Structure formats: structure tokens, C-alpha cells
Amino acid sequence: RESRYIHKLSKSIMGDSKSETISVGYWHIRGLAAPLRMMCAFKSAKWDNKTYELLAKEGGGWDASSWFGKDKPELKKKNPLINLPYVVHKGKVITQTNAIFLYLARELGLDGGDITGCNQLLCEIMDLRNSAVKVFYGPKDENVTASHLGSTVPKHYKKLEEWISAKKTTFLLGEEPSAPDFHMWEMIDQHELLASVNDKESLVKNYPGLSKLYTSLRGRAELKGYFDGELYKLPINNKMASFGAKFIEGK
């Protein structure tokens, strides 16, 4: 089903080819779309949110027809690469997460004045996310989770801490947030929650630069509506996940 807080796109999912409205489409979770939504909210962009919910099938499994049976075929006519997440803007359909990050970075002025640095950071953070997804959607295993929290995450955090330390800035590319900061924030938040539910200490507290990024972005007035609203209260992951399939209250 569509989430109740979106506006329905008129007549066609493509809408008006001249529309300035940024339409962000994804599953009915935070997942990959959370930082994209945060970017739009941060810049007070004209945007709307479209979500697709998995429904339990009788006898097991999940019904994903809300996406595959309706909007995907329509959007595929415009972009054969279509997948979730996607953005529809000015008659264009953009898919693939990092491509969307870079598109919104340019459109919203969130590239930090360094598109190469922006791209490098987005790729590094996606590496962390891809490792996390194996844990989030794999069978629940305390040893696998412990290894991820104790070894994999620190390896990525160390590199990103060294980057921000070399920059001597609050955020990854400067004193104002840029596209990779939003994905970094989401990854830190998800791992703080993963540590919490597994009775582990905060991971980010050992990394002063990343800790400052995490608290600084969370405290920005531009994002108060996002954090107080329904989008931040969506589950982190989809319904078949072993972690984050339901909303987890942060500390």
C-alpha cells in the first residue's frame, strides 16, 4: 500500500514533465531512501514520498505487487534500469542509489563543492552498508553480528574517521552537510541501534569526528520535522529482515 503521508502522483507516476517536485520512491522502510528523504527535507525542497509495502502471503512469503505490479512497469518505459529507490524529477527517472545521491547533490547544492570527494565517500559508505545488509537480512547469528560490530564496522569507521580528521571539519566535506553525510548519519544510527539491541556499547563513541558528525546533523533545525515525523519512525529494514523489521526506539 501507499503510505498515508504521500501525495498521489496525478494520472501517471511520471507526473508533469516540467514539475520541480522531487518524487522519492522506495519500500515502506527507512533503508536506502532515508538519507535521500533527509536531503530533501534538509533543503526544504518541494518533494513527495512514495512507498511500497510488502504484504504477507497466505502460506508464507511476501507479496511485492504494490511495486512490481503497478509502478515499476510504468517507470520502466522511461528507464529500463528502474529499481528501488528511484527519483522522478523534471520528467526524468533516476535509479541506482549512488546515482540518485549525486543527482540530488547537484540539484540541491549538497555536493560540498567537491564532486569527486562526494563520489568517493558515497562509495565507501555503500561498502559499509552492503556489509551490514548481509547481517541485517541473514539468519540471526550472534557470532556473525559480533564479528560485524567488532571487526567490519570499525574498519570502515577508522577510514572515515581518518578522512574527517584530515579535513579538520565537522562534516565529511566541510562545515556544512553534503550528500555523503546523510548516508553516513543513517549508517551510524542503524549501527547504534544494532549495538543497543545486542547489549553492546556505542560504536561511534570511539570516533570523535564521526561522533561530532552524528550529533551535529541530528541537531540541525532543518531536520527537526524529519526526526519528529513518521518517516524516521519507519522500520529500518523490510519485513523478512532478522534485524530492523520493526521500529526500534533509539536511546
Side-chain angles (χ1 to χ4, degrees):
R1 65 177 171 83
E2 294 174 357
S3 61
R4 65 180 179 83
Y5 43 81
I6 68 165
H7 103 199
K8 289 192 176 182
L9 304 181
S10 60
K11 293 185 180 180
S12 166
I13 186 67
M14 282 301 302
D16 182 350
S17 64
K18 297 180 180 179
S19 176
E20 294 289 334
T21 300
I22 300 169
S23 296
V24 179
Y26 194 58
W27 297 113
H28 192 65
I29 60 173
R30 279 164 60 177
L32 288 166
L36 306 176
R37 296 166 184 153
M38 289 172 70
M39 290 169 69
C40 292
F42 182 80
K43 295 298 287 189
S44 298
K46 184 180 178 183
W47 74 290
D48 59 35
N49 181 62
K50 180 134 183 144
T51 67
Y52 305 89
E53 186 165 16
L54 292 178
L55 299 175
K57 291 165 64 174
E58 188 175 348
W62 303 99
D63 176 2
S65 60
S66 62
W67 165 237
F68 289 101
K70 186 182 177 185
D71 286 350
K72 183 171 184 176
E74 183 70 17
L75 289 165
K76 191 174 181 181
K77 296 174 185 176
K78 186 73 174 180
N79 185 342
L81 304 179
I82 192 66
N83 206 340
L84 294 175
Y86 68 77
V87 155
V88 178
H89 187 225
K90 298 179 182 176
K92 298 187 288 288
V93 178
I94 305 99
T95 194
Q96 292 295 337
T97 307
N98 278 351
I100 297 172
F101 271 119
L102 291 171
Y103 178 81
L104 291 181
R106 289 189 293 267
E107 289 291 313
L108 300 175
L110 288 170
D111 64 8
D114 181 0
I115 198 68
T116 301
C118 188
N119 202 350
Q120 289 180 85
L121 288 161
L122 288 169
C123 290
E124 178 64 34
I125 298 163
M126 188 61 76
D127 285 346
L128 170 58
R129 177 182 167 76
N130 287 339
S131 294
V133 165
K134 294 175 184 177
V135 178
F136 297 166
Y137 285 89
K140 193 166 185 177
D141 186 317
E142 291 183 2
N143 292 328
V144 170
T145 300
S147 176
H148 180 70
L149 292 173
S151 177
T152 303
V153 177
K155 286 178 183 177
H156 288 283
Y157 278 14
K158 182 175 185 293
K159 287 193 284 185
L160 290 156
E161 179 70 21
E162 289 173 351
W163 171 286
I164 207 167
S165 176
K167 288 281 184 181
K168 296 181 172 61
T169 52
T170 300
F171 298 102
L172 290 165
L173 290 174
E175 290 305 318
E176 285 295 309
S178 61
D181 292 300
F182 296 91
H183 201 183
M184 189 70 240
W185 190 93
E186 181 66 17
M187 283 292 91
I188 294 172
D189 198 49
Q190 290 188 20
H191 282 96
E192 290 297 282
L193 292 171
L194 179 65
S196 177
V197 300
N198 284 278
D199 297 319
K200 305 291 186 184
E201 292 187 352
S202 165
L203 295 179
V204 78
K205 72 174 187 177
N206 297 317
Y207 303 89
L210 293 180
S211 291
K212 186 176 181 182
L213 182 160
Y214 183 54
T215 56
S216 297
L217 194 57
R218 179 66 175 83
R220 291 293 292 249
E222 300 96 323
L223 289 171
K224 186 178 187 304
Y226 171 81
F227 287 118
D228 289 347
E230 296 183 35
L231 292 174
Y232 183 56
K233 295 179 178 64
L234 289 174
I236 292 171
N237 294 313
N238 232 326
K239 295 180 179 180
M240 71 288 285
S242 58
F243 164 75
K246 294 181 180 179
F247 172 68
I248 302 169
E249 187 76 49
K251 289 185 177 181

